[in-house]
Amino acid sequence: MWRRLLGWYQTHRELRDRIACLETQLAAATVANVPKQPRSIRPPSARRSKSLQRIAFKVAYVGWPFYGFARHANEEQYPTVQGRILEALQETRLEHDPDTFSLAGRTDTGVSGVGQVVALDMQANVPYLDALNRFLPDTIRLMAWAPVSPTFNARLDCRSRTYRYYLDPLTARTLDVAQMQRAADFFLGKHDFSAFCRFSPSQKHHIRSITAIRVRHDHVEIKAPSFLWHQVRCMMSILFLIGQGFESPLLVCDLLDAKLKRDYPLADPRPLVLHSCEYNPPLVWQAARQPQRLFQHWGSYCSEQDTHAWIARACLESIQPRHTGKAKDGYSVVLGAGRSLWTTKRYTPVQQRRATEDYQSKRKKLSKSNKDDEG
């Protein structure tokens, strides 16, 4: 009897499943034959506006392996920090609008940040940091998030940016910090920084205001509402020459007055860090739900880098005989990050070096070239 009932139950269940399958196929065929009504076409931002919220993120990243922060056309060959963040957003499948992405500081290749701020429209009410950090490389982490107004722009609304240029112990030992601070004080205020930047066709002028600059034994901190392309690295190049005794602090005044870029080596980008960005009113940052994960991540990363440093130090100490003193001929110019430029030639003061073409002339030539191409 039990065997009959069990066989009937299996047959009945198979029959029921078969009927359900046929009903589904019939419904699909019926829908396929119904003519589709035309859909109203709206832009993606309009369709998603009700479900998205503008969110700001504080980003920490080691910029050494990246070709700057802002995304490039060829991300596979030239990876950027912004590109990796957008890839992580795709991986999480969180709804977002990449066209609304804005950033406070467009840091260059090799430059890092601990207080970079970005913003974009995203799906509301989700654990942003825990979700995104899982898909980011070890050199990038979102540290905090903040809800902001729908019109917030991380670059345009930023009131000031603070950069730090870190000095490694070997470099710091060779520098006169007091002389560097005397020279740095001449940067304060509003000046034409044409002699302290790289030419960019998009820059209409080179007037910038330095609101604070401090020289310490382990770093130089510079604060301003905005900066020019390579401005901080150019400033550090001149401060290094002054700190080594090659130049007088008055060189800063001479270059600011001349408004001409001289031929001098550019400081290394790797010690440069975007330390903080300020807004008015200040952003109300929300921490991660599990902050211990961020602490453990950066602690592990720091330990790994310390291990590299100890191995390099052991290699340095193994050199026999030890190098002491300076070479008889030539000189070495500090570039930061342990790098230096060695030459056997006699040192040439900056003011006696070749001056690059002034930026107004470059802009006129570029404008004339564009007109010729159009013609």
Side-chain angles (χ1 to χ4, degrees), residues 121-151:
D121 290 347
M122 284 196 60
Q123 183 178 330
N125 302 320
V126 295
Y128 300 109
L129 306 185
D130 295 335
L132 285 164
N133 284 334
R134 291 172 51 218
F135 296 98
L136 287 171
D138 290 342
T139 48
I140 306 173
R141 280 298 180 272
L142 303 183
M143 306 298 288
W145 70 276
V148 292
S149 69
T151 59

Side-chain angles (χ1 to χ4, degrees), residues 10-275:
Q10 290 177 344
T11 305
H12 176 72
R13 184 173 60 180
E14 292 174 357
L15 179 62
R16 185 184 61 187
D17 292 343
R18 179 59 177 166
I19 292 173
C21 181
L22 291 173
E23 288 177 345
T24 302
Q25 293 177 1
L26 178 63
T30 304
V31 172
N33 294 327
V34 176
K36 294 183 178 180
Q37 298 296 327
R39 293 177 56 187
S40 59
I41 300 176
R42 292 183 295 167
S45 58
R47 294 198 300 270
R48 299 192 297 242
S49 60
K50 293 183 179 180
S51 61
L52 298 186
Q53 177 185 8
R54 186 149 300 183
I55 302 295
F57 293 100
K58 183 183 291 186
V59 188
Y61 57 97
V62 179
W64 299 6
F66 299 106
Y67 289 82
F69 193 97
R71 181 175 51 175
H72 299 310
N74 189 350
E75 279 292 324
E76 292 186 5
Q77 188 173 358
Y78 304 105
T80 64
V81 180
Q82 180 183 353
R84 292 297 174 266
I85 293 176
L86 292 177
E87 286 179 6
L89 283 167
Q90 293 288 345
E91 291 289 338
T92 59
R93 299 185 182 278
L94 292 176
E95 197 173 5
H96 65 283
D97 185 356
D99 294 335
T100 61
F101 195 102
S102 62
L103 57 141
R106 192 182 175 93
T107 54
D108 294 326
T109 300
V111 179
S112 302
V114 297
Q116 172 76 279
V117 176
V118 303
L120 76 160
D121 290 347
M122 284 196 60
Q123 183 178 330
N125 302 320
V126 295
Y128 300 109
L129 306 185
D130 295 335
L132 285 164
N133 284 334
R134 291 172 51 218
F135 296 98
L136 287 171
D138 290 342
T139 48
I140 306 173
R141 280 298 180 272
L142 303 183
M143 306 298 288
W145 70 276
V148 292
S149 69
T151 59
F152 177 83
N153 186 289
R155 182 178 68 87
L156 300 179
D157 293 330
C158 186
R159 293 294 171 258
S160 69
R161 298 158 176 85
T162 300
Y163 280 89
R164 282 187 178 181
Y165 195 98
Y166 287 93
L167 307 176
D168 62 277
L170 290 176
T171 297
R173 266 183 247 156
T174 66
L175 301 175
D176 186 335
V177 174
Q179 282 288 87
M180 292 174 68
Q181 183 63 65
R182 292 189 191 97
D185 290 339
F186 292 122
F187 285 122
L188 291 171
K190 183 181 289 188
H191 302 284
D192 187 325
F193 282 89
S194 297
F196 295 92
C197 68
R198 182 176 174 179
F199 173 72
S200 173
S202 61
Q203 290 293 341
K204 296 181 180 180
H205 64 83
H206 301 89
I207 305 296
R208 292 294 184 271
S209 297
I210 303 297
T211 56
I213 182 167
R214 296 184 303 170
V215 181
R216 296 290 183 263
H217 289 282
D218 60 346
H219 72 273
V220 178
E221 185 174 284
I222 307 174
K223 182 178 180 180
S226 61
F227 292 88
L228 297 165
W229 192 11
H230 287 179
Q231 181 180 344
V232 176
R233 292 171 62 189
C234 288
M235 294 169 66
M236 286 305 307
S237 299
I238 298 302
L239 290 178
F240 281 148
L241 291 174
I242 294 169
Q244 286 189 279
F246 290 119
E247 300 284 353
S248 164
L250 294 176
L251 174 63
V252 173
C253 300
D254 295 336
L255 292 176
L256 289 173
D257 292 339
K259 302 180 181 63
L260 284 175
K261 177 73 179 298
R262 295 286 176 175
D263 187 13
Y264 55 81
L266 187 62
D268 194 284
R270 291 172 295 173
L272 184 57
V273 176
L274 177 56
H275 188 260

